[in-house]
Amino acid sequence: MMAKCTIEKVRSFFLDKENKPCPLTEMLVKSGYQQVSGGYIDRARKENIVVDYRKNSPSQYWHLMSYCEANNPSKMFPRSIVCGELLFWMAEVSESVSKAELNQLLDNIINSPLYIKGDRPYYDRKKWNELIHKLCFDSIKYSCLR
């Protein structure tokens, strides 16, 4: 029987990865691929953390740690996590998905904005979050269990 990937195991696995370089995730977020509101964006605003995709802020490390702190550590890390930039970061810093695959996905996303408002591109987050999830989630989960 496979070990369970709990929120605590995920938190412990990523705890020392705050300063690990994540150039692909930075490129993704700085290209405008960041939630506009809700979830971690609203939480960051309430905590007076700068919300600015151009600065890759808030960080995905903060996003993950604040999620883990707000949830029961013994619960399973849920498959219902859909935030593409979070899963992309987790895959990049854990090296659970190859750089080539992440690069290809990054290129596909940033080269297909739905529209641009001002200087910010907006993307089909439902589509891309599903593809990111499909590519990354299980690989991340298995990395956390090693």
Side-chain angles (χ1 to χ4, degrees):
M1 180 163 171
M2 182 175 286
K4 295 182 177 181
C5 183
T6 62
I7 289 172
E8 176 56 30
K9 283 186 180 169
V10 168
R11 189 192 72 75
S12 294
F13 181 84
F14 286 95
L15 194 58
D16 67 347
K17 294 175 177 48
E18 180 174 15
N19 297 311
K20 187 165 182 184
C22 53
L24 301 178
T25 304
E26 284 186 32
M27 192 178 308
L28 178 68
V29 174
K30 288 180 176 182
S31 295
Y33 199 88
Q34 181 187 61
Q35 271 180 233
V36 175
S37 62
Y40 82 106
I41 297 298
D42 288 352
R43 190 167 51 249
R45 287 184 177 124
K46 284 178 188 167
E47 294 183 25
N48 293 315
I49 294 171
V50 171
V51 174
D52 186 343
Y53 73 93
R54 294 165 296 197
K55 296 178 180 176
N56 191 26
S57 181
S59 74
Q60 295 309 306
Y61 177 85
W62 176 86
H63 181 179
L64 179 62
M65 292 302 134
S66 64
Y67 170 83
C68 291
E69 290 165 12
N71 287 278
N72 181 336
S74 63
K75 285 194 175 183
M76 298 294 292
F77 188 70
R79 187 167 287 282
S80 60
I81 298 279
V82 295
C83 182
E85 59 269 32
L86 176 62
L87 293 173
F88 195 96
W89 174 81
M90 292 172 77
E92 183 177 14
V93 300
S94 68
E95 300 175 0
S96 58
V97 175
S98 76
K99 271 201 183 325
E101 288 175 294
L102 290 175
N103 254 316
Q104 183 62 58
L105 184 54
L106 171 66
D107 286 345
N108 291 343
I109 294 169
I110 65 176
N111 288 312
S112 63
L114 286 175
Y115 62 93
I116 297 172
K117 185 175 179 182
D119 63 350
R120 181 177 182 165
Y122 289 83
Y123 302 91
D124 183 344
R125 287 186 59 87
K126 182 175 177 5
K127 170 187 173 180
W128 293 117
N129 282 351
E130 285 175 10
L131 287 168
I132 292 168
H133 193 283
K134 184 177 180 181
L135 176 66
C136 300
F137 188 85
D138 287 333
S139 296
I140 293 164
K141 186 172 78 172
Y142 297 133
S143 288
C144 293
L145 295 173
R146 283 190 210 137

